[in-house]
Amino acid sequence: MRVTILGSGTNLHPTRAAAGYLIQTDRPILLDFGPRTLSNLLKTDVDRHTIQYLLFTHYHADHFSDFLTFFFDAICHSKFSSVRPDLTIYGPPGTKRLFRMMFRTFPNFADTPFRVILKEVKDQSFQIGETRVMPLPMTHTDQQVCLGYRVEHQGRSAAFSGDAMASPNLVSLCRDVDVAILDCSFSSHAPGGSHMHAEECGKVAKKAKAKKLVLSHFYETADRSNVVAQARRFFPGPIVKGKDLLALQVGSKVPT
Ligand SMILES: [Zn+2]
Ligand SMILES: [Zn+2]
């Protein structure tokens, strides 16, 4: 399994795209689609028209807005070049209502030349090819369900917190995982609501016995302090500060 960080920042970070990850197992899977992550996807070796599976943690715009460009491009490509394969979109409760409203409202979104399948998930595991995906509700804001996802393939695992505060669910999502990619919106010197700061990320990774911790989803304030050192006060294992287009190899290489 290989995980490429398409976006390690938030909404309007000056140097980082917002939330988004490319997961490559037996097939490519996108997790979240925040602003500027589509541009980073174009810099990878994955043809965007081959992507058939999208996972959304929640629908704050910093995790979602590039979907609109991606989808319009997919429609144009299918009409004027060649029809792309089906697209399956997984997300928390509310996903069907949101996408159906969008498909009805945006010009050209209603009649796609390819099939779009919407699936609402919450805490039941499901299979994408040989890849096992386990969603679990996180603690973020009261207005919506925000999911974390654990992805397993050929005995290797990666956990994505999405936007999350520390919680027992987050610890179980990351239990013994090879790589835990956690919401480190804030420095421990300037914590904020609805997200974790670096020390909390370290504590969660330690409690869960994660093998590696990747910090991501930085606000500018987090970038200005040493978040790795803060997380290290609690987590003894390897810690990586996420950056856009950083590729993390989790276990054996994807056959090419
Ligand atoms: Zn959010
Ligand atoms: Zn966010």
Side-chain angles (χ1 to χ4, degrees):
M1 174 169 18
R2 187 167 62 175
V3 175
T4 304
I5 300 177
L6 298 179
S8 54
T10 46
N11 237 354
L12 273 175
H13 195 290
T15 56
R16 298 173 184 270
Y21 301 91
L22 169 65
I23 304 161
Q24 289 169 275
T25 55
D26 52 315
R27 59 200 67 203
I29 301 168
L30 276 189
L31 189 148
D32 283 344
F33 224 149
R36 305 177 296 286
T37 56
L38 180 56
S39 301
N40 281 339
L41 176 64
L42 300 187
K43 294 174 192 161
T44 69
D45 58 358
V46 172
D47 174 355
R48 66 192 181 281
H49 302 302
T50 65
I51 293 173
Q52 289 185 262
Y53 300 94
L54 305 181
L55 308 174
F56 284 103
T57 60
H58 67 308
Y59 296 110
H60 277 149
D62 63 314
H63 293 249
F64 176 71
S65 68
D66 269 9
F67 171 79
L68 297 173
T69 313
F70 168 83
F71 194 67
F72 188 45
D73 169 70
I75 293 169
C76 295
H77 176 84
S78 296
K79 276 189 179 150
F80 303 117
S81 185
S82 60
V83 179
R84 73 163 351 268
D86 297 349
L87 188 64
T88 304
I89 298 167
Y90 297 87
T95 293
K96 288 183 180 177
R97 185 174 50 84
L98 177 77
F99 280 89
R100 283 174 184 160
M101 183 269 292
M102 265 186 330
F103 294 157
R104 277 198 310 272
T105 311
F106 281 86
N108 303 98
F109 275 29
D111 294 312
T112 56
F114 52 90
R115 217 155 63 98
V116 181
I117 301 123
L118 300 172
K119 291 190 184 270
E120 293 189 348
V121 294
K122 197 167 180 190
D123 52 11
Q124 299 286 313
S125 300
F126 56 93
Q127 205 72 25
I128 297 177
E130 296 167 9
T131 308
R132 185 127 196 97
V133 182
M134 284 160 277
L136 207 55
M138 300 288 108
T139 307
H140 179 39
T141 62
D142 292 338
Q143 294 85 9
Q144 60 186 329
V145 178
C146 180
L147 298 176
Y149 287 96
R150 181 182 176 113
V151 177
E152 296 185 350
H153 182 253
Q154 293 181 344
R156 299 293 174 159
S157 52
F160 301 83
S161 69
D163 282 359
M165 294 194 277
S167 71
N169 266 12
L170 178 57
V171 173
S172 65
L173 189 85
C174 299
R175 178 68 63 204
D176 299 318
V177 78
D178 288 306
V179 183
I181 300 171
L182 300 187
D183 170 359
C184 182
S185 285
F186 302 117
S187 147
S188 305
H189 301 311
S194 308
H195 303 271
M196 287 185 286
H197 58 74
E199 287 185 0
E200 289 173 314
C201 292
K203 283 181 194 170
V204 166
K206 176 159 171 50
K207 246 191 219 170
K209 297 191 169 66
K211 296 187 182 77
K212 182 189 261 193
L213 169 61
V214 177
L215 304 172
S216 191
H217 202 268
F218 304 112
Y219 281 95
E220 279 184 81
T221 50
D223 253 346
R224 285 195 286 270
S225 66
N226 191 340
V227 286
V228 171
Q230 292 168 8
R232 188 165 283 132
R233 291 188 54 213
F234 296 91
F235 180 65
I239 303 175
V240 174
K241 185 175 183 186
K243 59 179 183 181
D244 290 14
L245 293 172
L246 177 71
L248 303 152
Q249 194 65 45
V250 188
S252 58
K253 280 203 157 58
V254 179
T256 49

